[in-house]
Amino acid sequence: MDLAQHEKRKRDGKPAPRPTTPVNFCAIANEVATMTDMAVDKMNKPLLRPSVRLVNSLAGVQVPLMPGDPQKCTQLVYNLVTNACKFTDRGTVTIGARFEKEQGVLEVDVIDTGKG
């Protein structure tokens, strides 16, 4: 959301609109994995080192569609994955998710074997 819009709503005491577009996180994970495989750093070297394996544990898994902004969700997951790739010299970067039915929440994970 645009920061200026957020500040205006806050001043006016109006809540931010809730997103209603269905978001498919399995499709987002596939798209992010593909984009990351093709990504290069500032020196035009592949972002994903040969000693690092990107694992999409959502491939073939069914998770419910969740309301949100597909573009912002894709950008968020992509930022987390590329950041993990930058700091992982060897091992894996894994994209995962689980649906907490009682809370109605989808938790998305990016787990790496890198530093930190």
Side-chain angles (χ1 to χ4, degrees):
M1 175 187 326
D2 183 50
L3 187 57
Q5 289 176 343
H6 174 72
E7 290 298 322
K8 183 176 182 330
R9 283 193 189 101
K10 192 174 173 182
R11 277 193 314 271
D12 296 344
K14 295 179 183 176
R18 302 217 26 126
T20 58
T21 305
V23 177
N24 181 340
F25 274 92
C26 292
I28 286 176
N30 288 334
E31 182 178 0
V32 167
T34 301
M35 291 188 308
T36 304
D37 282 337
M38 296 185 297
V40 294
D41 65 12
K42 292 178 183 177
M43 301 297 290
N44 207 29
K45 294 180 184 174
L47 187 62
L48 193 60
R49 293 176 177 88
S51 57
V52 177
R53 189 169 54 100
L54 180 59
V55 178
N56 177 6
S57 65
L58 293 179
V61 174
Q62 293 244 302
V63 295
L65 299 177
M66 301 298 288
D69 181 329
Q71 292 172 331
K72 289 183 181 180
C73 291
T74 301
Q75 185 65 49
L76 175 70
V77 175
Y78 182 73
N79 287 349
L80 292 171
V81 169
T82 56
N83 191 57
C85 290
K86 289 176 191 174
F87 296 101
T88 303
D89 293 326
R90 62 179 49 93
T92 59
V93 173
T94 305
I95 306 169
R98 65 189 157 281
F99 182 64
E100 300 291 338
K101 190 173 184 176
E102 299 80 31
Q103 300 168 344
V105 174
L106 181 67
E107 292 184 6
V108 178
D109 300 316
V110 175
I111 302 167
D112 64 75
T113 58
K115 303 173 196 171

